[in-house]
Amino acid sequence: MTADAFELRRFVQQHFLGRISSVMFDPGYRNHLALIADGYDVRVFLDDELQDGCITADPDEGFVQRRAFLRSSGITDMRRGSVSIKISKKVSRTD
């Protein structure tokens, strides 16, 4: 019997400590680009609730800025609370 290809991968999840942002001139932009370039999936949580449409997240300052979906695309929504950034990457095992 051959092994399933998915058995050769393991799921790695970590917390990212620092600011991330998809806004070019924001201090967290480089962090966001580096995570994406390294193949990480980035998920932002505010008070343990997954945030969709996140533009900027800063765990130290305790805020998340999101796109406001109820209005025009230029409107953003800022919320404060306990922010955590979780990153995950599937890593192939070579053994």
Side-chain angles (χ1 to χ4, degrees):
M1 178 159 77
T2 61
D4 188 319
F6 292 103
E7 290 178 357
L8 300 177
R9 298 181 184 151
R10 61 187 173 93
F11 183 72
V12 176
Q13 179 172 310
Q14 303 169 346
H15 289 273
F16 181 77
L17 304 175
R19 181 181 180 121
I20 62 167
S21 179
S22 60
V23 178
M24 184 180 290
F25 298 106
D26 189 274
Y29 183 69
R30 282 187 165 181
N31 291 339
H32 186 255
L33 279 183
L35 289 170
I36 300 302
D38 287 342
Y40 285 98
D41 291 323
V42 179
R43 295 180 299 147
V44 176
F45 293 84
L46 179 66
D47 297 327
D48 294 324
E49 207 171 295
L50 181 62
Q51 300 298 297
D52 290 327
C54 183
I55 299 170
T56 303
D58 192 328
D60 293 334
E61 297 291 326
F63 79 88
V64 171
Q65 185 178 13
R66 310 177 307 166
R67 289 180 194 87
F69 292 109
L70 299 176
R71 299 183 185 181
S72 68
S73 62
I75 304 295
T76 61
D77 176 27
M78 184 179 289
R79 301 208 178 180
R80 295 199 169 273
S82 176
V83 177
S84 64
I85 301 170
K86 294 183 182 178
I87 58 174
S88 58
K89 184 175 186 180
K90 289 189 177 186
V91 180
S92 62
R93 293 175 59 182
T94 58
D95 51 12

